[in-house]
Amino acid sequence: MLGLYLLSCPGSNMIGLFRIKLVVIMEDLFATREEILAAFEELEGFIEYDSDESVVLIPKALEINFSKMPSPKDKRLRAIPKLIPESDSPLIAKFIEMNKELISHTE
């Protein structure tokens, strides 16, 4: 249930990198902290969560949403840098490294 929630929750976006507090997830899913953290462990590799910075990374989101390299005129490209949250989370650097080719087309 957590995976579906994070793919479709109000804070989610097309790049699969966003901030969401654990307490919000707990309230929305009517689950305890322990249940949510256990669900994140089960989803390891599909979804990553930095609890210190409240950052979610869905590593395959861009691959899914951009199944082929978009043309330079694709307006979605301009949105990518704007969607990267301000944070010191290592997930931000991981996202940028994983998607550097696509991100290079946003400049």
Side-chain angles (χ1 to χ4, degrees):
M1 178 150 35
L2 177 63
L4 289 174
Y5 169 78
L6 292 171
L7 288 169
S8 61
C9 71
S12 182
N13 58 43
M14 71 176 177
I15 68 170
L17 182 69
F18 56 95
R19 294 185 81 148
I20 187 166
K21 298 218 177 264
L22 195 59
V23 67
V24 172
I25 300 169
M26 291 165 48
E27 289 174 1
D28 286 351
L29 297 181
F30 303 101
T32 66
R33 177 181 178 83
E34 292 75 24
E35 290 170 329
I36 298 298
L37 292 175
F40 272 118
E41 285 183 27
E42 290 177 24
L43 293 170
E44 190 176 339
F46 175 63
I47 293 176
E48 297 180 44
Y49 186 66
D50 178 345
S51 58
D52 294 333
E53 293 288 325
S54 302
V55 173
V56 169
L57 172 61
I58 304 169
K60 299 266 185 194
L62 273 181
E63 183 181 320
I64 292 165
N65 290 316
F66 293 91
S67 59
K68 60 181 181 180
M69 183 61 72
S71 79
K73 295 179 183 179
D74 191 327
K75 292 181 181 178
R76 295 176 299 169
L77 286 174
R78 287 185 286 180
I80 293 172
K82 296 174 187 170
L83 293 172
I84 298 173
E86 297 273 333
S87 172
D88 292 329
S89 174
L91 295 180
I92 305 292
K94 182 175 182 174
F95 169 83
I96 292 169
E97 179 61 29
M98 288 172 49
N99 298 290
K100 61 185 170 193
E101 181 182 359
L102 187 61
I103 291 171
S104 71
H105 293 281
T106 66
E107 301 166 352

